[in-house]
Amino acid sequence: MFSRILIANRGEIALRIIRAAREMGIETVCVYSQADADGPWLQQADDTVCIGKGPAAESYLRIDRIISAAEVANVDAIHPGYGFLAENAHFAEVCRDCHIEFIGPSPEAMAKLGNKVECKKLAKASNTPIFPGSPDVLEDEEDAMAIAEKIGYPVILKAVAGGGGRGMRICHNEATLRNNYASAQREAQAAFANGDLYLEKFLENARHVEFQILGDKHGNAIHLYDRDCSTQRRHQKLIEEAPAPNIDPKKRDAVAKSAADLIRRAEYAGAATVEFMMDKDQNFFMLEVNTRVQVEHPITEMITQVDIVKEMIRIAAGEKLSYKQKDISISGHAIECRINAEDPERDFMPQPGLIEQFSPPGGFGIRVESHVQPGYRVPPNYDSLIAKLVIHDITRETAIAKMRSALREFTIAPVKTTIPMHRMIMDTREFNEATFDIHYIERWLKDAMLTTSSM
Ligand code: MV4
């Protein structure tokens, strides 16, 4: 096992990794930017190294400085957390060249799954359900037109090297597909240095359901069931829950098994998430695979009792998975509200600044993942997540009741946060009846803004 690891991240996820490492008897070294010099999580690390100025491009994204810090601090491995360099195959490769273990998949597995067409080919071979669409990279506009004709409109053009919703074009008819092809290609080339496109049938009003998978270096992969992440706005998730509500257990098991198979086939070692859209009849269609630990991993930990971050470290150290699939079952229901320093009334404008009061809720089944303490100043340079409120209870209904109570107890001042918005969402019919889809928050926000200003 490693004796010392470097954490190439900040905030709540840095603290989450420090805690896992310390429990395992592993020392931690945190790199930090000048904007994070007062970060409370740094107090918990065994050592810290400043790697540059506030902007991520001058610190948390600087591969040269992170590797230098790792060598000076004499670590065995680097945990990238999420965001920043977590899904950068080049970084994983540099780590390997420098004989530092990357706590995540090999650069080959990461690159293969990061290519959406290659990923879909692996999915097909694993019987993971995918959208009807182009089996390969589109050759040209005529190729796109012919495939769209075959599968029927609406269709969606996507960048092979893209992800997370960037560079997509929904096309409802022949004219819009013709119109969008060249510009989508240009945009993909500019954004991802790869203009390759693929095409899929476009599905409307679906839910976003994803499966947590763990793979090891010995050819094993297991799934830790699913999460529903439909409660989102502009590709930013607001609330996640596990398991996804109202899914037939046989259907769930079949899709979960296929997703684990996909990860096994990719010779993938580490934590992965296989994302799907699910329609009203519970038909699943794979979207993409995330090759990192995700923000919402705690809800899966609560329902399966598997510590995903510890398992990632064990996997990177070459250990076999601590669990067999038959050891994994779902217990109860978990919900996470992402608490951001943002003002929902001003289009979710970030609210950096001094947090004077920070008084988190506590009690049975309540978990707060946060790096914030009273007197902490939220820097303007990074995303505005300041806490994750994670609830675990026996049923979805009691978990919602506990979330309502915990949100009421949670005091953060004077910066504006998304807590009041979460309290309102917990009272909506769509959330309580789980009749939502990926668009319901945007619909609800429009109504809420017209009828009240209590957020
Ligand atoms: C889709 C889709 C509908 N049909 N693909 C957006 C993010 C990227 N991961 C893929 N995305 C979508 N792909 C087909 N064939 C709808 C979306 C989508 C979406 C997906 C998940 C969560 C939120 C979303 C919001 C808008 C569109």
Side-chain angles (χ1 to χ4, degrees):
M1 183 42 68
F2 307 129
S3 48
R4 200 166 155 89
I5 66 172
L6 181 135
I7 299 167
N9 217 300
R10 63 178 302 283
E12 63 86 20
I13 194 64
L15 185 55
R16 171 72 187 85
I17 298 163
I18 290 170
R19 285 169 174 159
R22 184 184 278 159
E23 285 175 44
M24 297 170 79
I26 300 169
E27 291 182 355
T28 53
V29 180
C30 268
V31 293
Y32 67 97
S33 76
Q34 286 172 20
D36 280 337
D38 298 324
W41 66 94
L42 299 174
Q43 302 297 314
Q44 300 303 322
D46 294 291
D47 206 351
T48 61
V49 184
C50 185
I51 53 166
K53 294 199 166 71
E58 295 173 53
S59 49
Y60 297 108
L61 292 171
R62 282 290 295 262
I63 294 176
D64 53 343
R65 293 187 184 172
I66 291 165
I67 295 290
S68 298
E71 287 181 336
V72 168
N74 197 27
V75 300
D76 307 309
I78 299 180
H79 199 306
Y82 54 73
F84 298 129
L85 297 170
E87 297 188 89
N88 186 317
H90 173 62
F91 179 56
E93 197 176 347
V94 174
C95 288
R96 183 164 66 191
D97 291 346
C98 295
H99 306 279
I100 301 164
E101 201 63 44
F102 177 80
I103 301 175
S106 69
E108 291 79 18
M110 200 190 287
K112 186 146 200 192
L113 294 172
N115 180 309
K116 312 302 167 196
V117 166
E118 290 303 313
C119 183
K120 282 183 82 164
K121 287 179 186 172
L122 280 173
K124 204 167 174 173
S126 317
N127 281 317
T128 305
I130 56 178
F131 283 107
S134 54
D136 222 314
V137 176
L138 292 171
E139 274 169 35
D140 51 26
E141 192 177 310
E142 295 315 316
D143 190 20
M145 296 301 293
I147 291 164
E149 187 65 38
K150 210 172 76 193
I151 64 178
Y153 289 88
V155 298
I156 182 165
L157 273 175
K158 295 182 179 182
V160 171
R166 289 185 305 163
M168 307 187 321
R169 295 278 198 293
I170 300 161
C171 307
H172 286 278
N173 51 51
E174 292 175 28
T176 48
L177 179 54
R178 278 208 187 281
N179 245 319
N180 278 310
Y181 190 85
S183 76
Q185 208 169 32
R186 272 198 308 276
E187 191 179 313
Q189 182 65 43
F192 314 112
N194 178 352
D196 288 350
L197 301 177
Y198 67 109
L199 185 132
E200 285 177 346
K201 180 91 181 170
F202 178 68
L203 176 64
E204 305 196 65
N205 307 327
R207 280 164 59 187
H208 180 189
V209 177
E210 60 186 29
F211 288 78
Q212 177 70 58
I213 314 293
L214 293 172
D216 68 17
K217 295 178 180 177
H218 306 274
N220 306 301
I222 61 169
H223 70 79
L224 303 181
Y225 292 97
D226 49 297
R227 303 185 281 255
D228 191 305
C229 307
S230 302
T231 306
Q232 59 89 38
R233 174 188 168 273
R234 299 190 188 165
H235 306 296
Q236 292 295 320
K237 294 168 184 170
L238 303 176
I239 301 171
E240 306 95 342
E241 58 181 299
N246 307 326
I247 294 184
D248 171 58
K250 282 205 189 78
K251 186 89 209 180
R252 158 178 285 130
D253 282 347
V255 178
K257 220 161 155 255
S258 75
D261 216 61
L262 163 54
I263 292 306
R264 199 177 300 117
R265 228 170 254 274
E267 299 183 60
Y268 185 103
T273 299
V274 184
E275 297 188 336
F276 294 88
M277 302 256 77
M278 189 192 78
D279 73 11
K280 286 193 169 49
D281 302 319
Q282 294 183 33
N283 295 305
F284 282 78
F285 306 95
M286 190 191 67
L287 284 176
E288 52 195 67
V289 176
N290 300 312
T291 59
R292 60 171 190 278
V293 69
Q294 293 200 254
V295 174
E296 60 270 28
H297 75 277
I299 55 175
T300 296
E301 295 183 326
M302 300 318 288
I303 65 159
T304 61
Q305 292 299 303
V306 175
D307 185 319
I308 292 169
V309 177
K310 280 195 203 167
E311 206 59 22
M312 289 177 82
I313 296 171
R314 291 191 195 105
I315 291 164
E319 292 186 10
K320 288 187 176 167
L321 289 175
S322 319
Y323 306 87
K324 303 254 182 250
Q325 191 63 60
K326 64 171 168 46
D327 302 329
I328 307 297
S329 59
I330 298 176
S331 162
H333 197 89
I335 308 175
E336 170 178 280
C337 284
R338 295 192 189 190
I339 314 296
N340 287 3
E342 291 174 352
D343 184 357
E345 284 189 286
R346 289 191 174 68
D347 201 31
F348 293 79
M349 194 196 290
Q351 307 284 302
L354 180 67
I355 296 183
E356 289 173 25
Q357 283 185 64
F358 186 82
S359 179
F364 189 21
I366 296 176
R367 171 177 173 185
V368 178
E369 292 282 333
S370 176
H371 57 291
V372 175
Q373 292 172 4
Y376 176 67
R377 191 174 283 279
V378 181
N381 310 77
Y382 314 105
D383 83 32
S384 52
L385 184 75
I386 52 173
K388 304 189 301 204
L389 176 53
V390 181
I391 298 300
H392 185 223
D393 211 308
I394 297 168
T395 69
R396 185 171 191 273
E397 228 182 345
T398 55
I400 293 173
K402 197 185 285 280
M403 181 63 86
R404 277 203 193 89
S405 171
L407 285 165
R408 243 187 56 172
E409 198 178 323
F410 210 153
T411 307
I412 302 175
V415 303
K416 287 211 166 73
T417 75
T418 49
I419 290 174
M421 178 199 69
H422 285 303
R423 291 183 60 192
M424 293 172 72
I425 296 172
M426 288 302 132
D427 290 337
T428 63
R429 197 157 70 93
E430 286 96 329
F431 192 81
N432 281 275
E433 295 178 2
T435 51
F436 44 59
D437 63 32
I438 56 173
H439 303 299
Y440 101 100
I441 280 297
E442 267 138 9
R443 285 193 301 263
W444 172 78
L445 275 169
K446 240 187 247 163
D447 287 3
M449 289 307 157
L450 290 175
T451 56
T452 166
S453 59
S454 58
M455 287 198 288

